[in-house]
Amino acid sequence: METQPTLNQKKGFRLNYTTLNWGMLLVMLIIEVIVFSNLTPYFLHLNNLLPVGREIATLGIVAIGQTMCILTGGFDLSVGGVAAISGVVAGVMCSPKMLDLPFVVGFPIAIAVALAVGMTNGFLITKVKINPFITTMAMNFILGGAVILITKQPITINKPDFKFLGATTFGDIKFPLPIIILVGLYLLFFFILKYTVFGRKLYCTGGNSEAAKVAGISVEKTIFFTYTFSSLLAGFAGIMLASRIATANPGIGSSYALESIAATVLGGTALSGGEGNIWGAFLGVFVTGLLSNGLIMIGAPQAWRDIATGLVLILAIILQLSSKKSRRLAG
Amino acid sequence: MDEYALKCENISKSFPGVQALDNVGFDLKKGEVHALCGENGAGKSTLIKIVTGLYQKDSGDIIYEGSKINYKSTIECRKNGIALIPQELQLAETLTVAENVFMTDFPRKGIIVDWKVMMKKTRALQERLGAAALTFQPQDLVSKLSMGQRQLVEIMKAISTGVKLIAFDEPTSSLSDEETREMFRLIQELTNQGISIIYVSHRLAEIFKIADRVTVFKDGKLIGTKAIAETNPQELISMMVGRDMNLYQKSHDGIVGETLLEAKNLTRGSKVKNVSFTLKQGEVLGMFGIVGSGRTETVRLLFGLDRMDSGEVIMHGKKLNIKSPRDAVREKIGLITEDRRGEGLSLVMSVAQNITMPYFSKFRKHGVLDLKEEAKTAGKMVEILNIKTPGLKTRVETLSGGNQQKIVISKWLGADSEILIFDEPTRGIDVGAKAEIHKLMDNLSKEGRGIIMISSELPEILSMSDRILVFRDGEIKAELENTESLTEEDVLSYSIKTR
């Protein structure tokens, strides 16, 4: 290490850990595509892929917030509950049989519920100092109960303005709006994480909260906003889902927390915090989503989809660990 | 059988970048209390950790009870009668006294723990130790015990397995005076029972009270062994510091300006008691004392990491109200913490991101961080401080200790801190990087910044400081001008209880 600092050579392509992980996920995606397109010719049709993308969008948006929480070294286990309650509140507001408000009124109210939940999470974690795991798990229980109190039955909202957000498509190929929203949100949050003061504070907080404190960063405020963002995103995803299927279903979301954590971890974000980015989660969501869809296409039951998701997760972590080990040897 | 319980011969041990022990040896007679002393980093703790199986020696021989041993773990040592009472006690606080004592080997009936026997055996051990150990019950939770009582539990744990040799690492550092006297009585009792004691301590007064012989170490080397009856504190102190003075010339001579900072009667519990001092522009103010003497605790108050019970801080004639590190950073105070990895760096993040951590928000233009501007600033710091790194995006954890420390310092240069607090700035850093960091501190003070430097290394204190504050037991015991005539012995004598 006696060489002069080679600051000007940093332009060249560097095979760092993040790129390696990306490569791994891409290879997984390609394998999935090859295997399933051989098993069923319809797999690669736009008629299949676009609806899959639309379906994945919900979890993909949830995974953005989850990644942010994990980057600070925490978790958000309440994303499922938030998605469910936001969707149901939107349903209650907009359903012709209930309040029958226009979507432009119902939407902000439902989002406000998500905001309130996120701020409560943030408050409990930073001020009352309850561990994020416990806080958000408890919150998920509460929300699960609250949703059932509001409605036991799915609420149908068959109104054009309500369905606009989730069910709009463009052009002859019927390109779904949710995919555009998904990509847009990923670009937005990529930007926030990389290019804003808040994003940097989030990484510093997760990388080493003590060092962040010593550097004058308000760790608590950062964590508070992170959980608020996570809830807002989960709430938005829940509303978008209700809009897409024209139904506010109190039963949705129970698997979102674990699935979004799985996608984040697949994407190479460290549970210890401070390293990773949302593009990993983006690919992670696609890897599990396409796997699930492929298995549906070849007629595998739900049980096999769950088993396959678990296996892929373990495989991915083993690959991550070995690449980390080799990096340590190299460093 | 000969009269020696233990003989260590030609022991060497190195850690990455440090020769912790260099060919040292000492012996321990049966029933003897043998004290090991020296400054921080002298190697005494490393040696007893090797003897008790916590570390493995690189080379040398340990002869125990007449035969060469090579135990690989503390468990193996304990089974063979060698126990360590560490400075930080290792007890499970949520369990009972009895459970802690018999943790490695529960009395059993078949596969079930025999509680009755365990309680009885614990009680018997307590009786063996005498009155002090009878102040608590075998079924008491350790969390309810005082520090002194906990130490007794550690000792019971040791003697429960038929111990022949106990090594104490700074046993009195967290004890009250009364508990300390009790501990001495107990050690006397243990030696009467034929147990040999290795006693590591900073406190010379204790060594003269309790030890039969004393061995002094310095910088990992053996200085000598003396019978307590034939030596005195003065001699020990000069053995502890006696080094080639030419190697440590004064490397800083401050042109001291106006008063920058005034601390008045800073107090926090019993850790910091009525500490007052001033810091001038261009000055390096050394803070010396043993670990736990109140130096780090004082600067934590200045920096807002802990809240003071009372006291005030005045900077540029204005009273500061520092409630958090954020406030301190805003007032242009920087802290280079002792624990680089714990509080100084985010190891998983890049060199650039670490360098700009206290002030990256100033690269914000219309809400967007200008990463190119940030890289430029970070690149400048890398050049100024001669940080050896493959690139600005390199993860900090892959760099050497010296380069990591330079990154911690660079954080505060970029933040334009007027006051820089260095807590043990060169601990665990190789000699070359050490000299560079000293040079850097000298330059910083010449720019008119005020520097507070905490150090446990006397040569560093004497070569860098303009003034020296000596801490002991949470108080400033002496304020010394660092003139030519000031010696290491002078400084050390204030920090150690010699009476």
Side-chain angles (χ1 to χ4, degrees):
Chain A
M1 292 288 270
E2 286 305 313
T3 47
Q4 274 294 306
T6 50
L7 297 176
N8 301 323
Q9 295 174 12
K10 69 177 194 295
K11 287 282 184 280
F13 180 73
R14 297 164 58 123
L15 203 64
N16 63 22
Y17 166 67
T18 321
T19 23
L20 256 174
N21 198 62
W22 249 75
M24 177 190 85
L25 288 176
L26 275 179
V27 169
M28 277 186 164
L29 265 183
I30 291 166
I31 292 173
E32 278 178 19
V33 168
I34 292 172
V35 168
F36 286 124
S37 57
N38 275 316
L39 289 174
T40 157
Y42 291 109
F43 182 74
L44 273 184
H45 275 207
L46 278 182
N47 290 346
N48 178 45
L49 288 185
L50 287 177
V52 171
R54 192 175 64 178
E55 220 171 288
I56 288 173
T58 311
L59 185 64
I61 292 170
V62 172
I64 297 174
Q66 190 68 264
T67 301
M68 289 165 70
C69 292
I70 291 179
L71 279 175
T72 66
F75 284 108
D76 189 348
L77 299 182
S78 67
V79 285
V82 174
I85 203 159
S86 304
V88 165
V89 167
V92 168
M93 294 298 150
C94 301
S95 164
K97 287 181 195 144
M98 298 169 102
L99 295 180
D100 201 15
L101 295 168
F103 186 64
V104 286
V105 179
F107 176 78
I109 295 174
I111 281 290
V113 171
L115 177 71
V117 172
M119 289 169 71
T120 310
N121 279 340
F123 176 80
L124 290 173
I125 291 165
T126 56
K127 292 295 171 197
V128 191
K129 312 262 180 219
I130 308 175
N131 170 301
F133 190 90
I134 310 280
T135 303
T136 56
M137 183 173 66
M139 185 55 80
N140 200 46
F141 275 118
I142 294 169
L143 294 174
V147 164
I148 298 298
L149 283 185
I150 297 172
T151 174
K152 288 197 180 67
Q153 298 301 321
I155 304 166
T156 314
I157 317 103
N158 213 344
K159 296 198 302 188
D161 70 330
F162 188 83
K163 290 201 294 188
F164 177 80
L165 184 65
T168 304
T169 58
F170 298 101
D172 290 339
I173 57 165
K174 297 201 165 159
F175 198 87
L177 176 62
I179 296 183
I180 296 171
I181 294 176
L182 175 76
V183 174
L185 282 176
Y186 268 89
L187 286 170
L188 174 67
F189 277 89
F190 162 73
F191 181 83
I192 288 177
L193 287 181
K194 181 152 188 192
Y195 290 101
T196 68
V197 169
F198 168 73
R200 180 65 67 82
K201 283 182 178 172
L202 191 142
Y203 276 99
C204 291
T205 298
N208 183 347
S209 64
E210 290 304 314
K213 245 180 248 170
V214 169
I217 292 168
S218 51
V219 169
E220 291 184 357
K221 223 189 263 175
T222 307
I223 291 177
F224 178 86
F225 282 121
T226 302
Y227 282 86
T228 306
F229 268 125
S230 176
S231 263
L232 282 175
L233 287 161
F236 180 80
I239 298 167
M240 197 174 78
L241 175 66
S243 162
R244 172 162 70 83
I245 57 180
T247 310
N249 188 341
I252 64 138
S254 57
S255 62
Y256 283 6
L258 294 184
E259 283 182 50
S260 60
I261 292 171
T264 305
V265 171
L266 263 181
T269 299
L271 290 182
S272 47
E275 53 176 338
N277 61 54
I278 59 168
W279 294 116
F282 187 76
L283 275 188
V285 169
F286 272 88
V287 167
T288 52
L290 278 185
L291 178 70
S292 185
N293 173 257
L295 288 168
I296 292 174
M297 297 283 290
I298 62 170
Q302 173 72 39
W304 282 107
R305 282 181 263 152
D306 291 345
I307 291 172
T309 306
L311 289 176
V312 163
L313 196 56
I314 290 175
L315 178 70
I317 301 302
I318 291 172
L319 291 174
Q320 282 177 12
L321 286 176
S322 54
S323 79
K324 270 189 186 172
K325 240 177 241 162
S326 62
R327 179 187 67 194
R328 202 161 295 142
L329 290 178
Chain B
M1 291 296 255
D2 60 350
E3 58 169 332
Y4 290 104
L6 182 82
K7 273 188 188 174
C8 294
E9 289 168 358
N10 310 321
I11 306 278
S12 292
K13 172 77 181 173
S14 62
F15 296 108
V18 194
Q19 183 76 34
L21 286 175
D22 187 5
N23 210 15
V24 302
F26 84 108
D27 52 53
L28 178 66
K29 291 178 188 154
K30 285 184 179 152
E32 178 190 37
V33 178
H34 194 138
L36 307 183
C37 71
E39 300 181 282
N40 286 344
K44 51 198 193 305
S45 282
T46 308
L47 183 57
I48 66 166
K49 282 173 183 163
I50 287 173
V51 169
T52 56
L54 209 59
Y55 293 162
Q56 301 299 313
K57 58 187 185 316
D58 294 343
S59 61
D61 292 317
I62 300 175
I63 297 141
Y64 172 61
E65 302 265 297
S67 53
K68 237 187 237 183
I69 57 164
N70 201 6
Y71 298 147
K72 295 280 184 228
S73 69
T74 49
I75 296 176
E76 209 179 341
C77 281
R78 273 195 189 240
K79 275 191 184 140
N80 290 287
I82 301 176
L84 170 69
I85 313 288
Q87 185 172 10
E88 304 286 337
L89 300 183
Q90 286 168 346
L91 296 172
E93 294 186 14
T94 53
L95 300 183
T96 62
V97 170
E99 283 169 296
N100 271 286
V101 170
F102 288 101
M103 188 163 290
T104 45
D105 192 16
F106 289 116
R108 270 173 295 196
K109 251 193 245 160
I111 57 160
I112 298 162
V113 174
D114 190 337
W115 285 85
K116 247 193 206 155
V117 170
M118 189 159 84
M119 293 299 169
K120 232 200 255 159
K121 279 189 171 174
T122 307
R123 195 73 198 165
L125 288 172
Q126 286 176 274
E127 275 156 14
R128 189 171 152 198
L129 291 186
L134 290 166
T135 53
F136 53 88
Q137 301 297 323
Q139 62 271 23
D140 283 348
L141 289 180
V142 167
S143 56
K144 290 202 307 193
L145 304 187
S146 71
M147 288 316 289
Q149 290 172 322
R150 288 180 197 199
Q151 202 125 35
L152 291 172
V153 175
E154 276 280 7
I155 295 170
M156 285 159 61
K157 201 162 131 188
I159 62 176
S160 73
T161 52
V163 79
K164 293 175 191 142
L165 189 168
I166 302 179
F168 287 93
D169 194 359
E170 302 279 356
T172 58
S173 61
S174 52
L175 299 187
S176 66
D177 288 352
E178 180 54 38
E179 286 174 326
T180 302
R181 274 193 290 279
E182 205 53 61
M183 175 66 60
F184 289 165
R185 263 199 289 279
L186 192 69
I187 288 175
Q188 209 60 59
E189 177 58 33
L190 291 172
T191 56
N192 290 343
Q193 295 176 15
I195 294 170
S196 317
I197 308 282
I198 303 173
Y199 191 94
V200 171
S201 180
H202 271 107
R203 302 185 179 177
L204 289 187
E206 290 181 2
I207 289 173
F208 278 89
K209 234 177 241 164
I210 189 86
D212 301 310
R213 284 191 299 159
V214 53
T215 296
V216 178
F217 295 92
K218 181 179 69 67
D219 302 333
K221 294 194 178 65
L222 178 77
I223 302 303
T225 300
K226 297 266 172 188
I228 278 296
E230 290 160 19
T231 185
N232 57 55
Q234 234 41 54
E235 186 184 22
L236 287 190
I237 289 179
S238 52
M239 283 171 81
M240 282 160 71
V241 299
R243 46 170 69 84
D244 189 353
M245 297 304 283
N246 293 333
L247 279 175
Y248 299 94
Q249 281 173 356
K250 198 157 186 214
S251 46
H252 163 78
D253 225 339
I255 304 137
V256 174
E258 284 173 23
T259 299
L260 194 52
L261 181 105
E262 249 181 291
K264 286 185 183 166
N265 304 318
L266 304 187
T267 298
R268 179 181 165 85
S270 60
K271 297 272 167 94
V272 182
K273 293 181 271 190
N274 256 328
V275 168
S276 303
F277 60 88
T278 57
L279 175 68
K280 299 200 170 77
Q281 286 177 334
E283 183 181 42
V284 177
L285 179 64
M287 289 186 172
F288 182 76
I290 64 166
V291 175
S293 58
R295 308 165 302 172
T296 300
E297 293 79 357
T298 299
V299 301
R300 284 180 67 91
L301 294 184
L302 269 188
F303 197 67
L305 277 165
D306 294 322
R307 299 291 286 272
M308 52 185 96
D309 299 337
S310 61
E312 60 183 30
V313 178
I314 294 159
M315 190 168 164
H316 291 308
K318 190 184 93 196
K319 186 171 183 278
L320 300 186
N321 182 19
I322 293 176
K323 291 200 289 283
S324 69
R326 225 176 124 78
D327 297 332
V329 173
R330 200 177 297 133
E331 301 292 352
K332 301 211 176 297
I333 301 175
L335 172 66
I336 292 101
T337 53
E338 178 181 10
D339 183 1
R340 273 198 295 284
R341 287 165 171 263
E343 296 177 318
L345 294 168
S346 185
L347 293 171
V348 296
M349 292 172 71
S350 72
V351 169
Q353 288 171 332
N354 271 283
I355 288 176
T356 62
M357 201 184 286
Y359 56 91
F360 59 79
S361 54
K362 82 175 184 199
F363 301 113
R364 178 170 47 189
K365 274 185 202 150
H366 313 296
V368 181
L369 287 180
D370 186 343
L371 298 186
K372 277 194 191 133
E373 199 58 39
E374 181 189 27
K376 242 192 240 163
T377 304
K380 233 185 272 162
M381 287 299 160
V382 166
E383 257 170 60
I384 292 173
L385 296 186
N386 191 22
I387 299 168
K388 296 197 176 72
T389 169
L392 289 174
K393 291 188 176 174
T394 307
R395 287 156 62 104
V396 166
E397 68 181 349
T398 61
L399 302 186
S400 73
N403 284 306
Q404 289 183 353
Q405 182 69 327
K406 287 184 195 168
I407 289 177
V408 179
I409 296 170
S410 74
K411 294 200 302 189
W412 301 111
L413 302 194
D416 291 326
S417 302
E418 291 177 39
I419 295 176
L420 286 160
I421 304 169
F422 289 79
D423 195 352
E424 301 285 3
T426 61
R427 171 175 292 174
I429 290 179
D430 64 72
V431 182
K434 219 174 207 176
E436 273 186 85
I437 285 170
H438 286 164
K439 182 91 190 85
L440 183 71
M441 288 168 72
D442 185 42
N443 289 341
L444 290 172
S445 70
K446 292 207 167 102
E447 289 168 12
R449 303 184 214 236
I451 292 181
I452 295 174
M453 182 190 73
I454 293 177
S455 177
S456 300
E457 291 182 35
L458 276 170
E460 182 167 58
I461 285 279
L462 284 177
S463 72
M464 291 304 301
S465 314
D466 295 303
R467 254 181 325 136
I468 300 163
L469 303 176
V470 185
F471 282 75
R472 192 177 82 214
D473 298 334
E475 292 172 283
I476 295 179
K477 289 292 177 192
E479 181 179 336
L480 307 165
E481 286 294 331
N482 191 8
T483 54
E484 290 294 322
S485 59
L486 189 71
T487 64
E488 298 191 11
E489 284 86 347
D490 295 337
V491 180
L492 198 59
S493 65
Y494 287 105
S495 77
I496 299 181
K497 253 187 206 167
T498 47
R499 280 167 297 279

